[in-house]
Amino acid sequence: MMIKLGMTAVAMAAGLLLASGPVSADDWSRSRTGPNGGTRTITGQCGAHSCSRTIDVTGPGGRSWSRSSGVVQGPFRSYGYRTVTGPAGRGTAVGRVWRRF
């Protein structure tokens, strides 16, 4: 139940981040290939009231994992989230709400 609630909150925050508008100068991406053939790609996006970052890593053996994090700021509170998805496709979500005055 708690994981389902956490994943729902993360999906809502991701929806807010994606709805922030078209690609702009605040979007960026960096990619690196290691000496053994593994790759790491980091992408980020900032909108009017939100920022997010995603890291995708693929090892030389083809196993991959990803980590996403972001912050959405509202008029009276801010919401931060973080998700990690491992090689087996299992995900862990953490969400926090902060009060703002």
Side-chain angles (χ1 to χ4, degrees), residues 6 10 12-13 16 19 24-27 29-31 38 47 50 52 54 59 61 69 77 79 81 96-97:
V10 168
M12 288 173 32
L16 288 172
S24 67
D26 294 334
D27 299 344
S29 178
R30 292 184 180 87
S31 186
S50 63
S52 67
T54 302
S69 59
R77 60 183 76 196
Y79 176 77
Y81 73 92
R96 294 184 175 94
V97 176

Side-chain angles (χ1 to χ4, degrees), residues 12-99:
M12 288 173 32
L16 288 172
L17 291 174
L18 293 175
S20 64
V23 175
S24 67
D26 294 334
D27 299 344
W28 55 271
S29 178
R30 292 184 180 87
S31 186
R32 178 176 176 257
T33 301
N36 295 326
T39 60
R40 179 178 72 177
T41 303
I42 303 172
T43 57
Q45 177 182 9
C46 284
H49 299 285
S50 63
C51 283
S52 67
R53 182 176 75 168
T54 302
I55 302 171
D56 295 312
V57 178
T58 302
R63 296 180 66 159
S64 63
W65 65 270
S66 67
R67 182 179 76 187
S68 300
S69 59
V71 174
V72 179
Q73 294 184 347
F76 299 107
R77 60 183 76 196
S78 298
Y79 176 77
Y81 73 92
R82 179 179 58 216
T83 62
V84 177
T85 304
R90 295 188 185 118
T92 302
V94 176
R96 294 184 175 94
V97 176
W98 296 282
R99 287 187 74 143

